[in-house]
């Protein structure tokens, strides 16, 4: 007697596979759009860093705190690419407008706006957590985790990385900088 496959397992598997493809498409589309705007591979990669780190941290946190990977949560990661990339865009745009002022100054100029965007996202996604339907409540939790990790990656990781990249690498370069300042 042949064993019949469980239709729900097949549906779950095909949904997760399809959504994984959609996440890749969302990431690639964002990369292309950001790349067309910034026109530099380095700047594009820096913009995409916080949303990438935020997404990976979200998936790790889901496993650590026991949020299951269901149809809704997996789709939420694709949504995270949509709003999580904004924080890096705002920061890098400010950074490019005044490159001589440094990474910390760019954060001072745009940090309040970036945090405000994250707070409105948290308020909206947080309201979904109150849903009586578990699937919706879990996507709200995933989106809130993602927003927190993306904002933290933007305000902590991105300026630090840019400072490290742009720091003079030799004593002579540091001496020249001090003399011109």
């Amino acid at each position: 007697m042949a064993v019949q496959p469980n239709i729900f397992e097949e549906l779950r598997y095909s949904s997760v596979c399809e959504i994984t493809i959609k996440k890749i498409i969302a990431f690639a589309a964002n990369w292309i759009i950001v790349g067309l705007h910034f026109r530099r591979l380095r700047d594009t990669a820096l913009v995409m860093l916080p949303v990438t780190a935020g997404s990976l941290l979200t998936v790790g946190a889901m496993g650590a705190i026991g949020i299951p990977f269901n149809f809704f949560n997996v789709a939420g990661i694709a949504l995270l690419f949509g709003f999580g990339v904004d924080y890096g865009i705002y920061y890098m745009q400010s950074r490019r407008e005044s490159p001589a002022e440094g990474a910390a100054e760019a954060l001072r100029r745009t940090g309040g706006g970036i945090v405000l965007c994250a707070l409105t996202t948290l308020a909206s996604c947080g309201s979904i957590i109150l849903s009586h339907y578990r699937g919706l409540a879990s996507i709200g939790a995933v989106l809130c985790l993602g927003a927190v990790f993306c904002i933290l990656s933007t305000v902590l990781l991105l300026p630090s990385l840019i400072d490290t990249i742009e720091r003079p690498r030799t004593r002579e370069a540091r001496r020249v900088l001090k003399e011109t300042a």
Side-chain angles (χ1 to χ4, degrees):
M1 180 170 157
V3 176
Q4 298 263 332
N6 184 339
I7 189 73
F8 293 111
E9 280 301 312
E10 275 188 48
L11 182 60
R12 181 179 164 277
Y13 176 76
S14 66
S15 296
V16 169
C17 287
E18 185 175 326
I19 290 171
T20 300
I21 292 168
K22 302 302 186 255
K23 287 188 300 190
I24 293 168
I25 291 169
F27 183 82
N30 281 344
W31 184 282
I32 291 167
I33 292 166
V34 169
L36 289 173
H37 175 74
F38 285 100
R39 298 193 185 278
R40 287 184 62 199
L41 181 61
R42 186 190 91 150
D43 289 353
T44 301
L46 288 169
V47 166
M48 296 301 290
L49 177 68
V51 72
T52 303
S55 298
L56 293 172
L57 289 167
T58 300
V59 170
M62 287 172 63
I65 62 178
I67 297 176
F69 290 91
N70 60 35
F71 176 78
F72 288 103
N73 295 342
V74 175
I77 302 299
L79 294 173
L80 182 58
F81 289 134
F83 68 77
V85 73
D86 294 350
Y87 312 145
I89 290 171
Y90 300 147
Y91 176 80
M92 283 302 294
Q93 187 63 42
S94 173
R95 179 76 182 99
R96 287 184 77 184
E97 289 171 3
S98 302
E101 292 180 356
E105 182 57 32
L107 185 59
R108 275 191 284 283
R109 266 196 323 277
T110 59
I114 293 170
V115 170
L116 180 62
C117 288
L119 290 173
T120 60
T121 299
L122 284 168
S124 298
C125 295
S127 69
I128 300 171
I129 294 173
L130 303 174
S131 174
H132 294 293
Y133 183 61
R134 286 185 354 193
L136 285 177
S138 68
I139 195 172
V142 168
L143 292 174
C144 284
L145 279 171
V148 167
F149 286 127
C150 285
I151 191 67
L152 289 174
S153 296
T154 302
V155 300
L156 299 175
L157 178 63
L158 193 53
S160 300
L161 182 61
I162 289 172
D163 270 348
T164 301
I165 291 170
E166 295 178 352
R167 182 177 302 135
R169 304 239 187 265
T170 66
R171 286 186 191 150
E172 179 63 22
R174 285 191 286 271
R175 185 187 61 74
V176 169
L177 273 176
K178 284 181 183 178
E179 290 175 1
T180 58

PDB file of all heavy atoms in Angstrom, residues 5 12-13 26 29-30 50 62-64 74 82-83 94 98 106 127 137-138 140-141 145 154 158 163 165 173:
ATOM      1  N   PRO A   5       0.991  11.304   0.174  1.00  0.00           N
ATOM      2  CA  PRO A   5       1.643  12.471   0.764  1.00  0.00           C
ATOM      3  C   PRO A   5       0.601  13.365   1.445  1.00  0.00           C
ATOM      4  O   PRO A   5      -0.537  13.477   0.995  1.00  0.00           O
ATOM      5  CB  PRO A   5       2.283  13.175  -0.432  1.00  0.00           C
ATOM      6  CG  PRO A   5       1.562  12.682  -1.630  1.00  0.00           C
ATOM      7  CD  PRO A   5       1.036  11.306  -1.271  1.00  0.00           C
ATOM      8  N   ARG A  12       2.668  23.479   2.213  1.00  0.00           N
ATOM      9  CA  ARG A  12       3.629  24.243   3.018  1.00  0.00           C
ATOM     10  C   ARG A  12       4.980  24.309   2.321  1.00  0.00           C
ATOM     11  O   ARG A  12       5.596  25.363   2.201  1.00  0.00           O
ATOM     12  CB  ARG A  12       3.771  23.611   4.399  1.00  0.00           C
ATOM     13  CG  ARG A  12       4.711  24.338   5.318  1.00  0.00           C
ATOM     14  CD  ARG A  12       4.758  23.623   6.683  1.00  0.00           C
ATOM     15  NE  ARG A  12       5.889  24.043   7.440  1.00  0.00           N
ATOM     16  CZ  ARG A  12       7.126  23.570   7.329  1.00  0.00           C
ATOM     17  NH1 ARG A  12       7.375  22.606   6.484  1.00  0.00           N
ATOM     18  NH2 ARG A  12       8.107  24.036   8.061  1.00  0.00           N
ATOM     19  N   TYR A  13       5.451  23.180   1.842  1.00  0.00           N
ATOM     20  CA  TYR A  13       6.746  23.124   1.170  1.00  0.00           C
ATOM     21  C   TYR A  13       6.755  24.003  -0.080  1.00  0.00           C
ATOM     22  O   TYR A  13       7.671  24.794  -0.290  1.00  0.00           O
ATOM     23  CB  TYR A  13       7.097  21.677   0.808  1.00  0.00           C
ATOM     24  CG  TYR A  13       8.383  21.573   0.018  1.00  0.00           C
ATOM     25  CD1 TYR A  13       9.618  21.701   0.656  1.00  0.00           C
ATOM     26  CD2 TYR A  13       8.366  21.376  -1.359  1.00  0.00           C
ATOM     27  CE1 TYR A  13      10.801  21.625  -0.059  1.00  0.00           C
ATOM     28  CE2 TYR A  13       9.548  21.299  -2.080  1.00  0.00           C
ATOM     29  CZ  TYR A  13      10.752  21.426  -1.432  1.00  0.00           C
ATOM     30  OH  TYR A  13      11.917  21.364  -2.141  1.00  0.00           O
ATOM     31  N   ALA A  26      12.858  40.173  -4.332  1.00  0.00           N
ATOM     32  CA  ALA A  26      12.718  41.453  -3.622  1.00  0.00           C
ATOM     33  C   ALA A  26      14.081  42.043  -3.312  1.00  0.00           C
ATOM     34  O   ALA A  26      14.318  43.250  -3.511  1.00  0.00           O
ATOM     35  CB  ALA A  26      11.915  41.254  -2.331  1.00  0.00           C
ATOM     36  N   ALA A  29      15.685  43.199  -6.632  1.00  0.00           N
ATOM     37  CA  ALA A  29      15.031  44.406  -7.141  1.00  0.00           C
ATOM     38  C   ALA A  29      15.468  45.631  -6.341  1.00  0.00           C
ATOM     39  O   ALA A  29      15.758  46.684  -6.920  1.00  0.00           O
ATOM     40  CB  ALA A  29      13.510  44.240  -7.083  1.00  0.00           C
ATOM     41  N   ASN A  30      15.529  45.494  -5.020  1.00  0.00           N
ATOM     42  CA  ASN A  30      15.999  46.613  -4.199  1.00  0.00           C
ATOM     43  C   ASN A  30      17.441  46.958  -4.536  1.00  0.00           C
ATOM     44  O   ASN A  30      17.808  48.134  -4.617  1.00  0.00           O
ATOM     45  CB  ASN A  30      15.875  46.290  -2.708  1.00  0.00           C
ATOM     46  CG  ASN A  30      14.467  46.465  -2.203  1.00  0.00           C
ATOM     47  OD1 ASN A  30      13.637  47.079  -2.842  1.00  0.00           O
ATOM     48  ND2 ASN A  30      14.188  45.903  -1.046  1.00  0.00           N
ATOM     49  N   PRO A  50      22.495  47.232   6.135  1.00  0.00           N
ATOM     50  CA  PRO A  50      21.606  47.164   7.306  1.00  0.00           C
ATOM     51  C   PRO A  50      20.379  46.266   7.108  1.00  0.00           C
ATOM     52  O   PRO A  50      19.998  45.530   8.017  1.00  0.00           O
ATOM     53  CB  PRO A  50      21.179  48.620   7.522  1.00  0.00           C
ATOM     54  CG  PRO A  50      22.224  49.433   6.879  1.00  0.00           C
ATOM     55  CD  PRO A  50      22.713  48.620   5.714  1.00  0.00           C
ATOM     56  N   MET A  62      14.113  34.735  15.451  1.00  0.00           N
ATOM     57  CA  MET A  62      12.922  33.881  15.359  1.00  0.00           C
ATOM     58  C   MET A  62      13.234  32.488  15.887  1.00  0.00           C
ATOM     59  O   MET A  62      12.453  31.920  16.659  1.00  0.00           O
ATOM     60  CB  MET A  62      12.435  33.789  13.902  1.00  0.00           C
ATOM     61  CG  MET A  62      11.780  35.032  13.384  1.00  0.00           C
ATOM     62  SD  MET A  62      11.440  34.938  11.597  1.00  0.00           S
ATOM     63  CE  MET A  62      10.284  33.562  11.533  1.00  0.00           C
ATOM     64  N   GLY A  63      14.360  31.949  15.479  1.00  0.00           N
ATOM     65  CA  GLY A  63      14.753  30.623  15.966  1.00  0.00           C
ATOM     66  C   GLY A  63      15.039  30.633  17.457  1.00  0.00           C
ATOM     67  O   GLY A  63      14.649  29.716  18.175  1.00  0.00           O
ATOM     68  N   ALA A  64      15.701  31.696  17.924  1.00  0.00           N
ATOM     69  CA  ALA A  64      16.093  31.766  19.341  1.00  0.00           C
ATOM     70  C   ALA A  64      14.891  31.896  20.277  1.00  0.00           C
ATOM     71  O   ALA A  64      14.898  31.324  21.366  1.00  0.00           O
ATOM     72  CB  ALA A  64      17.055  32.933  19.564  1.00  0.00           C
ATOM     73  N   VAL A  74       7.510  33.830   6.731  1.00  0.00           N
ATOM     74  CA  VAL A  74       8.462  33.787   5.632  1.00  0.00           C
ATOM     75  C   VAL A  74       8.168  34.927   4.653  1.00  0.00           C
ATOM     76  O   VAL A  74       9.077  35.593   4.155  1.00  0.00           O
ATOM     77  CB  VAL A  74       8.441  32.409   4.938  1.00  0.00           C
ATOM     78  CG1 VAL A  74       9.325  32.388   3.718  1.00  0.00           C
ATOM     79  CG2 VAL A  74       8.875  31.328   5.921  1.00  0.00           C
ATOM     80  N   GLY A  82      11.452  45.600   1.910  1.00  0.00           N
ATOM     81  CA  GLY A  82      10.816  46.803   1.391  1.00  0.00           C
ATOM     82  C   GLY A  82      10.966  48.014   2.285  1.00  0.00           C
ATOM     83  O   GLY A  82      11.265  49.109   1.819  1.00  0.00           O
ATOM     84  N   PHE A  83      10.753  47.838   3.594  1.00  0.00           N
ATOM     85  CA  PHE A  83      10.879  49.006   4.468  1.00  0.00           C
ATOM     86  C   PHE A  83      12.228  49.095   5.155  1.00  0.00           C
ATOM     87  O   PHE A  83      12.674  50.189   5.511  1.00  0.00           O
ATOM     88  CB  PHE A  83       9.734  49.096   5.491  1.00  0.00           C
ATOM     89  CG  PHE A  83       9.720  48.042   6.553  1.00  0.00           C
ATOM     90  CD1 PHE A  83      10.583  48.079   7.633  1.00  0.00           C
ATOM     91  CD2 PHE A  83       8.800  47.006   6.504  1.00  0.00           C
ATOM     92  CE1 PHE A  83      10.552  47.110   8.618  1.00  0.00           C
ATOM     93  CE2 PHE A  83       8.750  46.043   7.483  1.00  0.00           C
ATOM     94  CZ  PHE A  83       9.641  46.095   8.544  1.00  0.00           C
ATOM     95  N   SER A  94      22.271  61.246   2.995  1.00  0.00           N
ATOM     96  CA  SER A  94      22.804  62.328   3.809  1.00  0.00           C
ATOM     97  C   SER A  94      24.328  62.315   3.784  1.00  0.00           C
ATOM     98  O   SER A  94      24.975  63.359   3.678  1.00  0.00           O
ATOM     99  CB  SER A  94      22.298  62.200   5.249  1.00  0.00           C
ATOM    100  OG  SER A  94      22.924  63.148   6.079  1.00  0.00           O
ATOM    101  N   SER A  98      27.095  65.464   2.147  1.00  0.00           N
ATOM    102  CA  SER A  98      28.154  66.169   2.874  1.00  0.00           C
ATOM    103  C   SER A  98      29.240  65.173   3.292  1.00  0.00           C
ATOM    104  O   SER A  98      29.413  64.904   4.481  1.00  0.00           O
ATOM    105  CB  SER A  98      27.572  66.863   4.108  1.00  0.00           C
ATOM    106  OG  SER A  98      26.564  67.772   3.751  1.00  0.00           O
ATOM    107  N   ALA A 106      26.591  62.731   9.614  1.00  0.00           N
ATOM    108  CA  ALA A 106      25.468  62.264   8.792  1.00  0.00           C
ATOM    109  C   ALA A 106      24.408  61.603   9.675  1.00  0.00           C
ATOM    110  O   ALA A 106      23.206  61.794   9.476  1.00  0.00           O
ATOM    111  CB  ALA A 106      25.953  61.290   7.722  1.00  0.00           C
ATOM    112  N   SER A 127       0.679  46.824  15.812  1.00  0.00           N
ATOM    113  CA  SER A 127      -0.772  46.679  15.954  1.00  0.00           C
ATOM    114  C   SER A 127      -1.253  45.340  15.402  1.00  0.00           C
ATOM    115  O   SER A 127      -2.251  44.796  15.870  1.00  0.00           O
ATOM    116  CB  SER A 127      -1.493  47.836  15.249  1.00  0.00           C
ATOM    117  OG  SER A 127      -1.347  47.740  13.844  1.00  0.00           O
ATOM    118  N   ALA A 137      -0.735  37.703  13.765  1.00  0.00           N
ATOM    119  CA  ALA A 137       0.013  38.135  14.953  1.00  0.00           C
ATOM    120  C   ALA A 137       1.490  37.790  14.810  1.00  0.00           C
ATOM    121  O   ALA A 137       2.363  38.598  15.164  1.00  0.00           O
ATOM    122  CB  ALA A 137      -0.574  37.481  16.210  1.00  0.00           C
ATOM    123  N   SER A 138       1.780  36.631  14.248  1.00  0.00           N
ATOM    124  CA  SER A 138       3.192  36.246  14.117  1.00  0.00           C
ATOM    125  C   SER A 138       3.907  37.075  13.059  1.00  0.00           C
ATOM    126  O   SER A 138       5.083  37.415  13.233  1.00  0.00           O
ATOM    127  CB  SER A 138       3.327  34.749  13.829  1.00  0.00           C
ATOM    128  OG  SER A 138       2.829  34.420  12.558  1.00  0.00           O
ATOM    129  N   GLY A 140       3.239  40.158  12.419  1.00  0.00           N
ATOM    130  CA  GLY A 140       3.469  41.436  13.101  1.00  0.00           C
ATOM    131  C   GLY A 140       4.707  41.374  13.980  1.00  0.00           C
ATOM    132  O   GLY A 140       5.521  42.306  13.998  1.00  0.00           O
ATOM    133  N   ALA A 141       4.871  40.269  14.696  1.00  0.00           N
ATOM    134  CA  ALA A 141       6.051  40.104  15.557  1.00  0.00           C
ATOM    135  C   ALA A 141       7.329  40.055  14.730  1.00  0.00           C
ATOM    136  O   ALA A 141       8.332  40.685  15.077  1.00  0.00           O
ATOM    137  CB  ALA A 141       5.911  38.833  16.400  1.00  0.00           C
ATOM    138  N   LEU A 145      10.395  42.743  14.913  1.00  0.00           N
ATOM    139  CA  LEU A 145      11.787  42.329  15.119  1.00  0.00           C
ATOM    140  C   LEU A 145      12.668  42.851  13.992  1.00  0.00           C
ATOM    141  O   LEU A 145      13.760  43.394  14.230  1.00  0.00           O
ATOM    142  CB  LEU A 145      11.896  40.801  15.166  1.00  0.00           C
ATOM    143  CG  LEU A 145      11.550  40.091  16.448  1.00  0.00           C
ATOM    144  CD1 LEU A 145      11.517  38.577  16.217  1.00  0.00           C
ATOM    145  CD2 LEU A 145      12.537  40.436  17.540  1.00  0.00           C
ATOM    146  N   THR A 154      21.430  50.095  11.037  1.00  0.00           N
ATOM    147  CA  THR A 154      21.661  51.365  10.345  1.00  0.00           C
ATOM    148  C   THR A 154      22.398  52.362  11.230  1.00  0.00           C
ATOM    149  O   THR A 154      23.356  52.992  10.786  1.00  0.00           O
ATOM    150  CB  THR A 154      20.340  51.974   9.854  1.00  0.00           C
ATOM    151  OG1 THR A 154      19.691  51.049   8.976  1.00  0.00           O
ATOM    152  CG2 THR A 154      20.581  53.282   9.122  1.00  0.00           C
ATOM    153  N   LEU A 158      26.343  50.748  10.283  1.00  0.00           N
ATOM    154  CA  LEU A 158      26.682  51.480   9.065  1.00  0.00           C
ATOM    155  C   LEU A 158      27.660  52.641   9.300  1.00  0.00           C
ATOM    156  O   LEU A 158      28.695  52.711   8.631  1.00  0.00           O
ATOM    157  CB  LEU A 158      25.400  51.956   8.374  1.00  0.00           C
ATOM    158  CG  LEU A 158      25.523  52.468   6.953  1.00  0.00           C
ATOM    159  CD1 LEU A 158      26.217  51.467   6.051  1.00  0.00           C
ATOM    160  CD2 LEU A 158      24.135  52.799   6.412  1.00  0.00           C
ATOM    161  N   ASP A 163      33.192  54.725   8.845  1.00  0.00           N
ATOM    162  CA  ASP A 163      34.374  55.327   9.481  1.00  0.00           C
ATOM    163  C   ASP A 163      35.596  54.441   9.329  1.00  0.00           C
ATOM    164  O   ASP A 163      36.698  54.918   9.061  1.00  0.00           O
ATOM    165  CB  ASP A 163      34.113  55.597  10.964  1.00  0.00           C
ATOM    166  CG  ASP A 163      33.538  56.974  11.207  1.00  0.00           C
ATOM    167  OD1 ASP A 163      33.551  57.809  10.274  1.00  0.00           O
ATOM    168  OD2 ASP A 163      33.066  57.229  12.329  1.00  0.00           O
ATOM    169  N   ILE A 165      36.157  52.182   6.959  1.00  0.00           N
ATOM    170  CA  ILE A 165      36.550  52.159   5.547  1.00  0.00           C
ATOM    171  C   ILE A 165      37.291  53.442   5.172  1.00  0.00           C
ATOM    172  O   ILE A 165      38.291  53.406   4.454  1.00  0.00           O
ATOM    173  CB  ILE A 165      35.313  51.980   4.634  1.00  0.00           C
ATOM    174  CG1 ILE A 165      34.724  50.583   4.779  1.00  0.00           C
ATOM    175  CG2 ILE A 165      35.661  52.264   3.177  1.00  0.00           C
ATOM    176  CD1 ILE A 165      33.377  50.413   4.111  1.00  0.00           C
ATOM    177  N   ALA A 173      49.328  59.437   6.157  1.00  0.00           N
ATOM    178  CA  ALA A 173      48.002  59.966   5.811  1.00  0.00           C
ATOM    179  C   ALA A 173      47.373  60.666   7.009  1.00  0.00           C
ATOM    180  O   ALA A 173      46.754  61.721   6.865  1.00  0.00           O
ATOM    181  CB  ALA A 173      47.106  58.836   5.312  1.00  0.00           C
TER     182      ALA A 173
END
